[in-house]
Amino acid sequence: MRKDTRNPAVSARLTAWLARTTAVAALALGASQALAADGVKIGVLNDQSGVYADYGGKWSVEAARMAVEDFGGSVLGQKIEIVSADHQNKPDIGSNIARQWYDVDGVDMITELTTSSVALAVHELSKEKKKIDIVVGAATSRLTGDACQPYGFHWAFDTRALAVGTGGALTKAGGNTWFFLTADYAFGYQLEEDTTKLVKEEGGKVLGSVRHPLNNNDFSSFLLQAQASQAKVVGLANAGLDTTNSVKQASEFGITAGGQKLAGLLMTLAEVHGLGLKASQGLVLTEGYYWDLDDKSREFGERFFKRTQRMPSMIHAGTYSAVLSYLKAVKAAGSKDTEKVAAKLKELPVDDVFGRGGKVLANGRMVHDMYLFEVKKPEDSKKPWDYYKLLATIPGDKAFFSLAESGCPIK
């Protein structure tokens, strides 16, 4: 047997250090496990300071809190907590926050996830960590298509639904030539692609497109190209302040006065409010919710307004629905276990202020009716936030891809 030649004092110190390290690791593991078991924690991750701050932002956090309060504040005898963070529209920042939440902070589900590039990154991380994400504010249909995963869900809308609504309606109404102003990242590409497909299916043509940076201030060169194309419809495949700036500058260039129609392919009540009715009148857009649609919508809208001094868009109402549906699934599963909760989310119907008779497909796509609206003229608005005229209700089965059409391998 080999003789131990180490200094006894050094050996003792090493043994003591190993014991302390082991103890600290055990305490950290125990604390982490206790944290994960103590309560239900939901993270709202979105843009709170940039181009999409009004689109979702802190108002989505408030909508999530409303869902928790309406649910009763606890589930399975455990307190429900909402945490939030700003991903700054950067996938690396979003992924790092999500990893910290999952690995260290005991977050059980992440939602909202405005910005498709961030949503796709967190979607992939959630698959790796076996955690649930419910995307509300991002649009790309890839989330429940080729990028689908067992624990990922897509709630309020997607590029396919927007294309069917706004793209299909305007083409049928005679807007059979299009030019696109497209945000230069995943969401913009997908929205242009899905709308192009619908336009061509209706017998229309796309005369050209141009891509602009995210959070762009000067659209003059892009709008001049759109104007020169003489397309009947200029499709704005962007969102948030980019859409607002596009519409304002299009008015300054006389694009709509010259007979071209602007299509806000992803435009919500927040952008219309920011523009005002004088600038946005006549715009056709698609949303999944409107606060003045019926009594149920008005009741939620008025409660939201008392808390935020603004009416909710489909992003805010969709976040409320996503959080409420997750909590119902936890209760029905009798557990926070991801597999069990994901199964319940796909099993339970969605029937709340946002999703009326909604259903969740095997790929995580929540199917519900969408609404085609036209922005009112100033003289037709009878009260504050009275902005939309309902043109059509688009049944969910027509608005969204079926499971077979989506390209998701999950059956």
Side-chain angles (χ1 to χ4, degrees):
M1 180 180 293
R2 184 179 177 183
K3 184 177 180 180
D4 188 351
T5 58
R6 290 177 297 182
N7 186 307
V10 173
S11 181
R13 286 198 298 273
L14 179 59
T15 300
W17 178 83
L18 286 170
R20 287 196 301 273
T21 302
T22 302
V24 169
L27 285 171
L29 178 61
S32 177
Q33 291 172 338
L35 181 62
D38 182 19
V40 173
K41 191 175 287 189
I42 297 169
V44 178
L45 183 58
N46 61 7
D47 176 8
Q48 298 182 12
S49 58
V51 65
Y52 301 135
D54 276 348
Y55 169 89
K58 62 184 179 181
W59 318 116
S60 291
V61 181
E62 199 61 34
R65 292 190 181 119
M66 287 178 67
V68 171
E69 291 169 17
D70 288 352
F71 192 79
S74 65
V75 62
L76 306 181
Q78 300 181 60
K79 182 182 177 182
I80 305 163
E81 181 182 355
I82 298 291
V83 297
S84 68
D86 183 354
H87 60 46
Q88 301 174 49
N89 296 310
K90 296 177 180 178
D92 56 340
I93 292 177
S95 293
N96 287 338
I97 293 169
R99 191 177 296 276
Q100 166 81 17
W101 278 357
Y102 285 152
D103 290 348
V104 179
D105 298 336
V107 169
D108 299 293
M109 186 272 280
I110 296 177
T111 191
E112 223 274 43
L113 291 166
T114 294
T115 311
S116 292
S117 54
V118 177
L120 286 164
V122 174
H123 203 60
E124 186 61 28
L125 179 66
S126 299
K127 177 183 177 182
E128 174 193 330
K129 299 294 182 181
K130 292 190 176 180
K131 293 281 192 173
I132 288 173
D133 68 73
I134 305 180
V135 177
V136 178
T140 178
S141 56
R142 288 191 59 214
L143 289 160
T144 50
D146 67 323
C148 71
Q149 50 100 339
Y151 318 115
F153 297 82
H154 202 179
W155 221 248
F157 67 102
D158 63 19
T159 50
R160 155 73 179 202
L162 299 174
V164 170
T166 309
L170 285 176
T171 306
K172 286 178 182 177
N176 57 3
T177 55
W178 284 65
F179 187 95
F180 290 97
L181 265 68
T182 301
D184 193 10
Y185 75 103
F187 146 68
Y189 312 151
Q190 193 68 54
L191 184 51
E192 180 184 332
E193 180 182 324
D194 286 353
T195 307
T196 295
K197 183 178 179 182
L198 262 295
V199 168
K200 290 181 176 178
E201 285 178 359
E202 295 295 336
K205 296 180 180 180
V206 174
L207 303 184
S209 67
V210 63
R211 292 176 176 176
H212 66 79
L214 179 66
N215 200 12
N216 190 55
N217 292 318
D218 184 4
F219 287 86
S220 57
S221 64
F222 310 123
L223 288 166
L224 286 171
Q225 291 180 62
Q227 195 170 41
S229 75
Q230 298 185 351
K232 293 180 181 178
V233 180
V234 178
L236 305 178
N238 51 21
L241 286 176
D242 284 337
T243 300
T244 301
N245 289 331
S246 300
V247 174
K248 284 180 179 177
Q249 292 174 38
S251 178
E252 292 167 6
F253 277 93
I255 286 179
T256 51
Q260 289 176 294
K261 186 85 171 176
L262 288 181
L265 294 172
L266 175 48
M267 196 167 183
T268 73
L269 198 72
E271 288 76 59
V272 174
H273 182 71
L275 280 166
L277 291 182
K278 185 176 180 181
S280 57
Q281 61 183 308
L283 277 168
V284 175
L285 54 90
T286 303
E287 287 214 54
Y289 166 88
Y290 176 47
W291 75 270
D292 204 19
L293 194 63
D294 56 25
D295 289 343
K296 195 172 183 179
S297 300
R298 279 187 285 274
E299 188 274 335
F300 177 77
E302 287 161 4
R303 286 200 294 132
F304 187 86
F305 185 87
K306 287 179 182 178
R307 301 169 71 120
T308 65
Q309 301 306 300
R310 62 175 53 225
M311 285 298 181
S313 71
M314 68 172 167
I315 310 303
H316 310 128
T319 301
Y320 173 91
S321 175
V323 172
L324 195 63
S325 295
Y326 173 75
L327 294 173
K328 289 177 179 178
V330 170
K331 182 178 179 180
S335 167
K336 295 195 301 178
D337 176 79
T338 296
E339 299 280 358
K340 294 178 181 178
V341 176
K344 285 298 179 182
L345 275 166
K346 294 173 184 179
E347 174 187 321
L348 296 174
V350 179
D351 193 10
D352 53 37
V353 69
F354 178 82
R356 313 294 179 83
K359 60 183 178 182
V360 181
L361 304 181
N363 62 353
R365 174 68 260 171
M366 200 274 274
V367 175
H368 57 92
D369 290 350
M370 297 289 289
Y371 306 98
L372 185 69
F373 296 109
E374 182 177 17
V375 179
K376 291 182 175 181
K377 296 177 181 178
E379 59 268 27
D380 294 332
S381 178
K382 306 302 181 186
K383 55 188 174 183
W385 295 88
D386 176 22
Y387 294 159
Y388 290 169
K389 173 186 176 183
L390 179 65
L391 298 180
T393 298
I394 307 162
D397 290 340
K398 290 185 178 179
F400 297 99
F401 284 125
S402 68
L403 183 60
E405 293 171 322
S406 71
C408 173
I410 296 173
K411 303 299 181 185

